[in-house]
Amino acid sequence: MGMDVHALGDVEDEASIPSSYTLLPSHPDTPQRRPLSGIVGIIASVMFLTSLVGLIYNQGPESPVVHPPHSPQKLDPPSRGVSEGVSEKSFRPFLGESPYNWTEAMLAWQRTAYHFQPEKNWMNDPNGPLFHMGWYHLFYQYNPDSAIWGNITWGHAVSTDLIHWLYLPLAMVRDSWFDINGVWSGSATILPDGQIVILYTGDTVDAVQVQNLAYPANLSDPLLLDWVKYPGNPVLVPPPGINSSEFRDPTTAWFGPDGTWRITLGSKVNTTGISLVYQTTNFTSYELLDGVLHGVPGTGMWECVDFFPVAIDGSTGLDTSVNGPGVKHVLKASLDDDKQDYYAVGTYDAVNDRWTPDNPEEDVGIGLRVDYGRFYASKSFYDQNKKRRILWGWIPETDSEDDDIEKGWASVQTIPRTILFDNKTGTNILQWPVEEIESLRLNKTEFQGIELAPGSVVPLDINGTATQLDITAEFEMDTETILNLDATDVSYNCSGGAAERGTLGPFGLLVLANDALDELTPIYFYIAKATDGTLKNFFCADKTRSSMATSVERRVYGSKVPVLDGENFSMRLLVDHSIVESFAQGGRTVITSRIYPTQAIYGAARLFLFNNATQVNVTATVNVWQLNSAFIHPYPMDQI
């Protein structure tokens, strides 16, 4: 967020940092925009990507006429299933089953104990996270009226440690013509003098997606309770050739070598997902730069784009504006077509504002995912307090809207994760729960050298219930045995679940299981061996038997995970009632599972080790901590 001189460390060729920033005017001049040259560059870039973008002016809509109406009029919510960008989430799987007869006890148990979620109602994307005067601020998409999407505003909460949270009054509501149909996703930038600017997408009275500016009414207020919307909003409208409903989610700004700030936001041309780049000196007027930061054919609309540097040595987080030797850049996009977050590591050319992936075969949208489970619309920020980059992701529900209305809430945020470059593989990022989660650890139970024979299930007798846990586990095998076994699981991809037995897997943990194993959620590894002896390691989460309810999603998540020579198979699991966050090999591959047990709840939840391989023994070492509940409740406003 912004620039922190002290955080740059020994990185060379830092962008020069402006010494001051002009206060936003009370009566701004009309924002100046020069979209023509920029859109020509966009067309050229995407022609290179798709060879079809020459149709953009023939098939694409004209630039929308955006003007304030005489009086704001709120539109009715769109029908369920109509895409409305990051706000309308219509991607729950078709369940096709009768509703489950939930008891009040089952629904009450689903509420998490240490993950952030509002007191009630609907929540989706994390927005504008920042650290200010001793407080971490989290904003989020929120419906104050219902447990389903609609009336989208910015909820607001603060924390001193990213774990215990205090709810604050709504930060921004839809009260102006430029956001009357939704205060949608956006980002915060902290400027060198400490000022804070927020850019967010507004859905106008004419259903046009525009970018708006907001800033604190009182920067000396640690809680940042009051926000001012810039009277000259919108500061950006869709340029020619960009659909009025495909222009959203501005990023945190970074400072370029030419002395101006840059932002990028998501869009598409035909089926090519793109990130547009704008530059500004004052955050009220913008110039669309030629070309695009990047685009990938066939990936569809990009939303919730994130763009940030990582240190190649994997030692520390970096401020968003850092570039130069020893730095790579991560480009992440949330794909509107399949509702998954993808990323790639590459190189940013700050002079020409182009980003190039290190591996084109694993480009954004076709390669690595931030999380292989139920996870979307993630947002990162630079924590200048502890010199680290932190990421949140939204965990959507996978039950029915009727169920959400019955329980009175929907959706959870992940535990904040630190982000570092994996300097051992050189190909991926590492995600890991923030260290503050360990402050919730209570009693610990250790299990050393447990032998798991093929086909075995071993109960772990922990001290306490198995519904709020922090688990670390390592699994060892005899390397010579693996190399000598004749295994040909070349087509394995996790889809068969934990019941699919192979020569070298699956093996791992069963969480939120009952004694009879009627309900269980396996988190496991699987080693696939090709005929030439090549090994591919997979990390998977199986939800097919996680609930007796048939009206919830029950599927298998997972992907490959690098396991280097000399490394044991390792995982860390955060279990919190109906959420399981799973981290393999130090966070190289991550899976978030949203589950709805009916039997394995409260004191009936159990924890097991298992090895369902057919020909290999596994030795497991497991540490299990009970976790306390986090302190999450409204801020005592009467004490202000």
Side-chain angles (χ1 to χ4, degrees):
M1 313 295 294
M3 293 293 298
D4 182 347
V5 179
H6 303 292
L8 302 183
D10 297 327
V11 176
E12 301 177 6
D13 295 342
E14 301 157 7
S16 59
I17 302 169
S19 59
S20 63
Y21 173 75
T22 304
L23 286 169
L24 295 171
S26 300
H27 302 285
D29 297 330
T30 303
Q32 300 297 311
R33 306 180 187 91
R34 290 178 286 170
L36 184 56
S37 63
I39 198 65
V40 169
I42 293 172
I43 295 171
S45 296
V46 181
M47 283 182 67
F48 174 75
L49 294 166
T50 66
S51 76
L52 298 177
V53 80
L55 301 175
I56 184 172
Y57 285 106
N58 295 324
Q59 297 182 357
E62 295 297 321
S63 181
V65 178
V66 179
H67 55 80
H70 293 293
S71 60
Q73 294 180 346
K74 296 180 181 180
L75 298 181
D76 293 332
S79 62
R80 308 306 295 173
V82 176
S83 176
E84 280 291 333
V86 296
S87 295
E88 173 77 70
K89 297 301 179 185
S90 57
F91 61 96
R92 298 190 191 195
F94 176 71
L95 303 172
E97 300 280 357
S98 301
Y100 188 77
N101 186 23
W102 299 100
T103 66
E104 290 185 8
M106 292 175 186
L107 294 178
W109 181 89
Q110 290 178 18
R111 190 167 179 87
T112 61
Y114 58 85
H115 283 73
F116 178 81
Q117 59 185 120
E119 290 183 280
K120 60 180 181 179
N121 297 335
W122 168 273
M123 176 180 67
N124 54 291
D125 309 0
N127 294 150
L130 59 91
F131 179 81
H132 175 69
M133 296 181 68
W135 291 97
Y136 292 99
H137 292 255
L138 174 64
F139 305 92
Y140 50 93
Q141 301 278 274
Y142 181 60
N143 181 354
D145 300 326
S146 174
I148 62 174
W149 178 87
N151 186 25
I152 295 301
T153 63
W154 270 34
H156 188 191
V158 292
S159 172
T160 59
D161 63 2
L162 295 169
I163 301 299
H164 303 283
W165 291 92
L166 297 169
Y167 304 121
L168 292 177
L170 298 177
M172 290 190 288
V173 299
R174 53 189 193 119
D175 58 5
S176 304
W177 71 269
F178 50 78
D179 62 11
I180 201 66
N181 287 300
V183 180
W184 287 5
S185 292
S187 303
T189 302
I190 300 179
L191 302 177
D193 60 1
Q195 292 191 74
I196 300 170
V197 293
I198 279 179
L199 292 170
Y200 71 92
T201 298
D203 191 20
T204 74
V205 69
D206 299 316
V208 176
Q209 293 175 11
V210 299
Q211 314 314 316
N212 301 314
L213 172 66
Y215 42 90
N218 179 10
L219 196 60
S220 64
D221 173 16
L223 299 181
L224 299 176
L225 290 173
D226 298 312
W227 291 83
V228 176
K229 295 177 182 178
Y230 177 55
N233 279 335
V235 295
L236 283 173
V237 301
I242 296 298
N243 191 291
S244 62
S245 64
E246 295 168 346
F247 180 71
R248 55 184 177 267
D249 309 336
T251 63
T252 297
W254 69 93
F255 195 67
D258 60 354
T260 67
W261 293 89
R262 292 201 180 16
I263 64 166
T264 186
L265 49 79
S267 187
K268 74 171 184 176
V269 175
N270 296 326
T271 62
T272 296
I274 62 173
S275 52
L276 305 169
V277 182
Y278 287 84
Q279 71 177 14
T280 182
T281 59
N282 56 13
F283 290 89
T284 60
S285 60
Y286 294 79
E287 179 183 1
L288 176 62
L289 299 183
D290 291 337
V292 296
L293 180 68
H294 193 58
V296 180
T299 56
M301 175 65 197
W302 284 9
E303 54 186 7
C304 298
V305 173
D306 206 358
F307 185 62
F308 55 86
V310 289
I312 291 177
D313 64 8
S315 61
T316 185
L318 297 178
D319 177 274
T320 308
S321 294
V322 172
N323 198 9
V327 174
K328 288 184 178 289
H329 273 74
V330 173
L331 179 61
K332 169 253 155 183
S334 301
L335 267 57
D336 195 25
D337 287 354
D338 70 2
K339 299 300 186 291
Q340 302 290 349
D341 278 21
Y342 291 83
Y343 80 94
V345 178
T347 301
Y348 171 49
D349 178 351
V351 175
N352 297 305
D353 289 293
R354 297 291 188 275
W355 176 89
T356 304
D358 287 348
N359 181 1
E361 294 183 359
E362 290 195 336
D363 207 341
V364 179
I366 60 175
L368 300 174
R369 279 166 48 181
V370 180
D371 189 299
Y372 288 85
R374 183 54 77 188
F375 175 99
Y376 194 63
S378 58
K379 176 63 191 170
S380 77
F381 81 107
Y382 177 66
D383 173 17
Q384 74 273 27
N385 180 42
K386 291 194 172 182
K387 308 298 185 287
R388 57 187 176 176
R389 180 158 294 274
I390 293 175
L391 174 141
W392 268 283
W394 168 47
I395 307 173
E397 302 292 327
T398 60
D399 59 356
S400 70
E401 289 185 344
D402 289 340
D403 292 341
D404 294 344
I405 292 172
E406 185 176 356
K407 69 177 182 268
W409 59 270
S411 304
V412 181
Q413 300 292 348
T414 62
I415 292 299
R417 304 170 181 175
T418 57
I419 300 294
L420 291 173
F421 179 67
D422 186 354
N423 62 352
K424 292 183 178 180
T425 65
T427 61
N428 53 270
I429 59 173
L430 298 172
Q431 303 175 67
W432 200 246
V434 291
E435 61 185 2
E436 289 88 340
I437 190 67
E438 296 175 17
S439 68
L440 296 180
R441 286 176 173 176
L442 298 173
N443 53 291
K444 178 184 178 182
T445 309
E446 299 182 39
F447 304 90
Q448 299 287 335
I450 298 179
E451 296 293 333
L452 301 173
S456 63
V457 177
V458 177
L460 297 180
D461 185 14
I462 63 175
N463 184 15
T465 61
T467 59
Q468 294 173 212
L469 303 176
D470 186 352
I471 307 168
T472 63
E474 284 199 2
F475 302 89
E476 297 182 66
M477 295 181 179
D478 181 73
T479 303
E480 185 175 345
T481 299
I482 294 175
L483 295 176
N484 291 332
L485 286 175
D486 183 17
T488 56
D489 303 323
V490 291
S491 62
Y492 187 81
N493 61 5
C494 287
S495 61
E500 180 179 358
R501 302 189 67 182
T503 305
L504 302 172
F507 56 91
L509 287 161
L510 306 177
V511 299
L512 296 174
N514 63 354
D515 283 324
L517 298 182
D518 295 319
E519 285 186 334
L520 50 84
T521 300
I523 312 294
Y524 60 93
F525 291 103
Y526 190 108
I527 306 172
K529 186 176 181 182
T531 52
D532 63 359
T534 302
L535 300 179
K536 288 186 178 180
N537 305 299
F538 290 83
F539 185 56
C540 316
D542 183 353
K543 300 199 326 177
T544 57
R545 291 178 290 167
S546 64
S547 177
M548 302 291 286
T550 56
S551 59
V552 300
E553 179 195 70
R554 296 186 294 178
R555 54 173 294 188
V556 185
Y557 304 135
S559 183
K560 293 182 294 183
V561 59
V563 181
L564 306 183
D565 290 343
E567 292 182 345
N568 290 329
F569 290 83
S570 66
M571 66 172 71
R572 183 180 181 185
L573 311 183
L574 296 178
V575 179
D576 189 4
H577 291 243
S578 58
I579 301 294
V580 182
E581 294 190 63
S582 307
F583 304 81
Q585 302 306 116
R588 290 178 186 146
T589 298
V590 184
I591 304 172
T592 297
S593 305
R594 181 72 175 91
I595 58 179
Y596 306 87
T598 64
Q599 306 294 319
I601 60 177
Y602 298 106
R606 299 284 184 267
L607 179 65
F608 297 85
L609 282 165
F610 81 99
N611 175 17
N612 211 23
T614 60
Q615 296 187 45
V616 67
N617 292 312
V618 180
T619 302
T621 297
V622 184
N623 295 315
V624 183
W625 289 268
Q626 293 284 327
L627 290 189
N628 204 349
S629 297
F631 191 66
I632 304 176
H633 66 83
Y635 191 94
M637 300 301 292
D638 57 351
Q639 297 181 16
I640 296 178

